[in-house]
């Protein structure tokens, strides 16, 4: 193994490295902190370790100032994120999550952009019960956040059910293979007997005691769908299907969306294809890539610690050489593939005698309102459904593998509760995603999920004026440049800058294969609408046949083409 550069640091290790080092394989003082009843919060160091257990401490920012005025501590509560490879859940698991959301959470479920469930509003004293009930339904939250491999994504759209099943198994294998080995989670949350009294008897053969320098994201795509936004992933696998059979995967590396406003050393980046590997080698490739990032990632500056920066510092040829050396064999030449889009296809679809219904869940928020009893409707479906649920990367939901016999029953429930595949909406709304942002996310600089729907309503008026209601345009909003909704891959995107203010980006590729570029900085709603009006009008009049909006704004010069994150700011 090449060792030059191993543990190479740009400076002294960041504080987070020390916290991991002291944590005794992610234990810290989490047990004591969660037993402490004098405060609803936990100490900062434990809060950082808690991420590795799939949870963040948050507080209700809507009432933060008022609480402060009253000299009360903020209303602390916890977000819990499930690890759900490929976004596949059984009806029982759905019912468990629904029950937990209503018993311990804020009565809603968030379907995330990485195909999993998030619960919000869990009080400290209910954390253990919540995780234990998930465990009974065969779900866990291990490594759903933190400096480890996160939830492995996998194409949700069941174009080819057999291939989907095979690829889903691969994503599950990767997810299991890359799990941390520490028993900390089982001891802390599931009361498993302590396996050790000293860290010496436990080890993390792949991660090591410091885990990764930063979070790590993996996706598996089945062309022509790029719903997982493969180019946004640290590591990606693109299924290569020849003669109707899965032959293996093209490997991609070095994607990532996050950046810091005003810091040009940080940027979103597209992953690049580095070769092809057979199906049975996928976990091995993933493991070796993880060890490369473990050894060469920047442990000094967290904002430059993602794998994309490691690759951009050392170069792609270096990565390939390092990988081949660690594998002991070479990746093959990448094979041809073609992506058509990165969104969902809605409504019923039949495949091999099984039916799949993709429902539109605006921004992934499952809740009941007087007008729209979405949560109840899905609960009733889960009670009779015998297939599975698939959470999509665009925050929607597929009621999947419905038998012909059951389809009528599910259709009746869909009618009864008015559940929608979104076809009554503009194509823009159906191609929209937003992160959580306010009031729970501590990093949010502006609204996202609570604001995007109303902004889209106003944009829809402009679309209608120009006959563009059914034009598929991908729009994304994130409350801060951490970019959880992958905004750099939106044909139109907004990243929060301050309350009510956003940087506006245009020009990503419809298939998620080109980054967008900043068009206007720090603008509010009025300026957003005024900016879009003439561009939509121009697009309606002068677009080429089948030309997507992102391609149009690049061709007509509104923004320059961005083919690499290295040109994102230039
Ligand atoms: Fe929070 Fe920022 Fe992620 Fe939105 S993008 S959920 S505001 S961290």
């Amino acid at each position: 193994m090449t060792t030059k550069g191993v543990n190479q640091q740009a400076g002294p290790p960041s504080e987070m490295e020390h916290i991991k080092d002291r944590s005794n394989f992610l234990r810290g003082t989490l047990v004591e902190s969660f037993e402490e009843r004098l405060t609803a919060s936990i100490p900062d160091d434990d809060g950082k370790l808690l991420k590795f257990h799939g949870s963040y401490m948050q507080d209700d920012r809507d009432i933060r100032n008022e609480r402060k005025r009253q000299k009360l501590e903020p209303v602390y509560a916890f977000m819990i994120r499930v690890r759900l490879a490929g976004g596949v859940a059984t009806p029982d698991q759905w019912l468990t999550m629904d029950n937990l959301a209503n018993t311990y959470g804020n009565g809603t479920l968030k379907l995330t952009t990485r195909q999993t469930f998030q619960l919000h509003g869990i009080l400290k004293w209910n954390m253990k019960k919540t995780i234990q009930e998930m465990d009974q339904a065969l779900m866990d939250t291990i490594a759903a956040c933190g400096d480890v491999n996160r939830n492995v994504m996998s194409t949700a759209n069941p174009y080819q059910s057999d291939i989907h099943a095979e690829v889903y198994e691969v994503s599950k294998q990767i997810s299991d293979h890359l799990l941390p080995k520490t028993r900390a989670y089982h001891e802390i949350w599931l009361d498993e007997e302590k396996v050790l009294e000293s860290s010496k008897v436990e080890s993390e053969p792949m991660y090591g005691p410091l885990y990764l320098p930063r979070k790590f994201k993996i996706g598996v795509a089945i062309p022509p769908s790029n719903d997982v936004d493969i180019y946004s992933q640290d590591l990606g696998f693109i299924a290569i299907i020849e003669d109707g059979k899965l032959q293996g995967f093209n490997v991609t590396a070095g994607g990532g969306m996050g950046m810091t406003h005003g810091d040009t050393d940080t940027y979103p980046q597209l992953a690049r294809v580095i070769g092809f590997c057979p199906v049975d080698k996928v976990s091995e490739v993933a493991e070796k890539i993880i060890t490369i990032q473990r050894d060469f990632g920047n442990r000094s500056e967290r904002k430059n610690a993602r794998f994309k920066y490691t690759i951009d510092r050392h170069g792609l040829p270096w990565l390939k050489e390092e990988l081949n050396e660690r594998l002991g064999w070479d990746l093959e030449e990448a094979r041809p593939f073609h992506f058509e889009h990165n969104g969902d296809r809605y409504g019923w679809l039949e495949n091999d005698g099984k039916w799949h219904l993709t429902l539109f869940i605006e921004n992934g928020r499952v809740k009941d309102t007087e007008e729209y009893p979405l949560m109840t409707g899905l609960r009733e479906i889960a009670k009779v459904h015998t297939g599975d649920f698939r959470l999509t990367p665009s925050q929607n939901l597929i009621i999947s593998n419905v038998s012909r016999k059951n389809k009528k029953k599910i259709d009746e429930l869909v009618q009864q509760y008015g559940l929608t595949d979104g076809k009554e909406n503009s194509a823009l709304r159906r191609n929209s995603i937003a992160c959580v942002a306010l009031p729970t996310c501590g990093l949010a600089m502006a609204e996202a999920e609570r604001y995007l729907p109303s902004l889209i309503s106003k944009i829809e008026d402009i679309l209608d004026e120009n006959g563009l209601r059914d034009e598929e345009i991908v729009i994304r909003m994130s409350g801060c440049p951490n970019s959880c909704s992958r905004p750099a891959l939106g044909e139109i995107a907004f990243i929060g800058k301050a309350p009510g203010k956003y940087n506006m980006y245009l020009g990503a590729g419809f298939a998620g294969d080109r980054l967008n570029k900043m068009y206007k900085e720090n603008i509010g709603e009025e300026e957003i609408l005024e900016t879009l009006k003439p561009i939509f009008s121009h697009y309606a009049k002068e677009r080429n046949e089948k030309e997507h909006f992102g391609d149009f704004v690049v061709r007509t010069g509104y923004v320059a083409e961005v083919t690499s994150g290295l040109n994102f700011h230039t």
Side-chain angles (χ1 to χ4, degrees):
M1 185 186 83
T2 304
T3 52
K4 69 176 161 33
V6 169
N7 295 325
Q8 185 184 54
Q9 299 295 331
S14 70
E15 180 52 24
M16 189 61 213
E17 295 302 306
H18 293 297
I19 293 172
K20 287 184 270 185
D21 198 20
R22 290 193 298 267
S23 75
N24 187 14
F25 295 97
L26 309 181
R27 288 173 176 79
T29 52
L30 281 166
V31 169
E32 296 78 1
S33 294
F34 274 88
E35 278 169 2
E36 164 65 73
R37 295 295 165 115
L38 289 175
T39 166
S41 70
I42 60 170
D44 202 38
D45 283 10
D46 280 336
K48 293 196 166 91
L49 290 176
L50 184 66
K51 295 180 186 177
F52 292 78
H53 298 253
S55 177
Y56 283 63
M57 185 174 79
Q58 304 182 321
D59 73 285
D60 187 337
R61 294 178 58 184
D62 282 350
I63 52 174
R64 192 187 274 177
N65 288 341
E66 178 57 22
R67 298 278 296 184
K68 202 168 172 185
R69 207 181 56 74
Q70 294 181 16
K71 299 197 167 41
L72 294 169
E73 79 170 12
V75 177
Y76 292 113
F78 292 80
M79 177 281 281
I80 304 187
R81 188 181 293 156
V82 176
R83 188 171 59 90
L84 199 70
V88 177
T90 64
D92 265 357
Q93 289 172 331
W94 185 277
L95 290 172
T96 298
M97 293 308 298
D98 174 286
N99 182 44
L100 289 172
N102 285 300
T103 309
Y104 303 124
N106 64 0
T108 74
L109 284 171
K110 174 83 175 177
L111 312 185
T112 77
T113 52
R114 291 197 69 76
Q115 294 180 281
T116 190
F117 297 107
Q118 261 178 213
L119 293 176
H120 290 267
I122 310 286
L123 296 175
K124 182 173 156 178
W125 12 94
N126 292 330
M127 281 285 283
K128 212 161 158 175
K129 283 185 270 192
T130 306
I131 291 178
Q132 291 186 348
E133 286 181 35
M134 283 178 186
D135 181 64
Q136 280 159 20
L138 306 181
M139 286 179 289
D140 63 65
T141 67
I142 305 172
C145 328
D147 297 344
V148 276
N149 173 52
R150 305 277 186 96
N151 198 43
V152 176
M153 294 171 69
S154 174
T155 288
N157 278 340
Y159 290 97
Q160 299 139 308
S161 287
D162 289 350
I163 299 280
H164 181 278
E166 219 178 331
V167 170
Y168 166 65
E169 282 308 319
V170 170
S171 54
K172 230 172 145 304
Q173 264 170 37
I174 301 170
S175 172
D176 292 345
H177 189 73
L178 301 183
L179 264 183
K181 298 284 179 278
T182 174
R183 300 301 292 173
Y185 180 90
H186 305 80
E187 286 175 19
I188 295 167
W189 308 108
L190 306 179
D191 293 330
E192 185 179 273
E193 212 174 300
K194 281 193 180 168
V195 290
L196 69 158
E197 289 307 327
S198 131
S199 64
K200 288 198 185 92
V201 293
E202 195 169 48
S203 71
E204 286 283 8
M206 179 181 64
Y207 287 114
L210 299 179
Y211 296 84
L212 295 180
R214 202 72 170 77
K215 59 187 160 189
F216 198 89
K217 298 181 176 178
I218 298 181
V220 187
I222 310 177
S225 172
N226 185 23
D227 59 348
V228 299
D229 270 328
I230 203 78
Y231 299 107
S232 73
Q233 312 281 347
D234 292 279
L235 174 62
F237 295 95
I238 301 170
I240 301 298
I241 300 157
E242 290 164 7
D243 304 324
K245 291 212 164 58
L246 178 65
Q247 305 293 325
F249 296 87
N250 278 354
V251 182
T252 66
M257 295 285 96
M259 60 173 172
T260 307
H261 280 319
D263 183 346
T264 52
D265 286 342
T266 68
Y267 47 85
Q269 180 58 293
L270 292 174
R272 283 130 287 170
V273 178
I274 60 170
F276 170 91
C277 79
V279 178
D280 63 345
K281 299 287 189 199
V282 166
S283 290
E284 190 185 346
V285 169
E287 178 182 323
K288 298 304 179 203
I289 289 274
I290 288 271
T291 65
I292 293 173
Q293 167 65 352
R294 175 198 68 195
D295 294 342
F296 289 90
N298 186 335
R299 289 184 184 268
S300 180
E301 280 285 349
R302 286 182 66 77
K303 69 181 171 60
N304 284 121
R306 290 287 295 273
F307 192 39
K308 59 183 174 182
Y309 301 117
T310 312
I311 296 177
D312 290 349
R313 263 199 316 278
H314 293 272
L316 216 51
W318 163 84
L319 174 69
K320 290 185 197 172
E321 196 186 320
E322 188 69 30
L323 177 62
N324 290 340
E325 211 171 313
R326 289 183 187 220
L327 287 169
W329 51 273
D330 289 3
L331 290 185
E332 296 170 31
E333 277 289 300
R335 305 207 184 162
F337 64 96
H338 174 66
F339 286 129
E340 285 174 2
H341 56 85
N342 63 351
D344 288 330
R345 296 295 166 260
Y346 293 95
W348 281 107
L349 180 97
E350 197 250 335
N351 200 300
D352 296 338
K354 293 282 187 192
W355 289 83
H356 313 273
L357 172 64
T358 305
L359 293 171
F360 173 61
I361 313 286
E362 192 156 28
N363 300 323
R365 184 62 67 179
V366 176
K367 64 177 182 184
D368 279 346
T369 62
E370 259 176 47
E371 310 77 56
Y372 191 34
L374 172 64
M375 197 168 195
T376 303
L378 292 174
R379 185 185 312 127
E380 294 307 313
I381 287 178
K383 287 179 188 166
V384 300
H385 183 34
T386 52
D388 47 44
F389 289 91
R390 293 182 192 171
L391 284 61
T392 82
S394 294
Q395 305 173 303
N396 295 307
L397 183 67
I398 307 178
I399 317 289
S400 198
N401 287 315
V402 178
S403 63
R404 188 172 299 277
K405 204 167 125 238
N406 235 13
K407 181 171 180 282
K408 193 162 166 273
K409 221 184 299 174
I410 290 187
D411 247 342
E412 281 167 8
L413 289 168
V414 166
Q415 298 301 325
Q416 183 181 340
Y417 291 97
L419 306 187
T420 176
D421 62 8
K423 295 242 167 85
E424 72 284 10
N425 293 305
S426 67
L428 181 82
R429 191 180 297 273
R430 278 184 273 129
N431 282 287
S432 67
I433 58 179
C435 72
V436 178
L438 293 164
T440 50
C441 178
L443 300 171
M445 297 171 173
E447 297 279 354
E449 178 190 333
R450 295 197 297 192
Y451 172 54
L452 185 60
S454 68
L455 177 65
I456 288 180
S457 297
K458 289 169 186 157
I459 297 175
E460 279 171 342
D461 291 342
I462 309 174
L463 291 172
D464 287 344
E465 282 163 22
N466 291 286
L468 294 171
R469 193 172 182 82
D470 295 326
E471 203 62 40
E472 303 244 22
I473 301 171
V474 175
I475 183 167
R476 294 178 172 180
M477 179 175 276
S478 274
C480 85
N482 269 338
S483 300
C484 296
S485 60
R486 304 186 288 277
L489 292 170
E491 293 178 283
I492 303 172
F494 301 96
I495 299 182
K497 194 85 198 287
K501 297 283 183 183
Y502 298 84
N503 287 353
M504 178 179 179
Y505 300 80
L506 297 176
F510 184 70
D513 48 3
R514 181 181 63 235
L515 294 168
N516 54 24
K517 193 163 189 69
M518 187 155 73
Y519 185 63
K520 288 262 168 103
E521 192 171 5
N522 205 25
I523 58 174
E525 181 173 288
E526 207 177 321
E527 202 175 342
I528 290 171
L529 298 173
E530 284 310 309
T531 302
L532 284 173
K533 257 184 209 164
I535 305 179
F536 278 140
S537 163
H538 189 189
Y539 176 57
K541 288 186 195 119
E542 293 188 22
R543 68 189 191 273
N544 292 331
E545 203 184 334
K546 294 194 176 158
E547 186 176 30
H548 286 292
F549 183 76
D551 297 336
F552 174 81
V553 291
V554 170
R555 177 175 66 81
T556 51
Y558 288 99
V559 287
E561 181 177 15
V562 182
T563 50
S564 161
L566 298 170
N567 320 321
F568 185 75
H569 297 292
T570 57

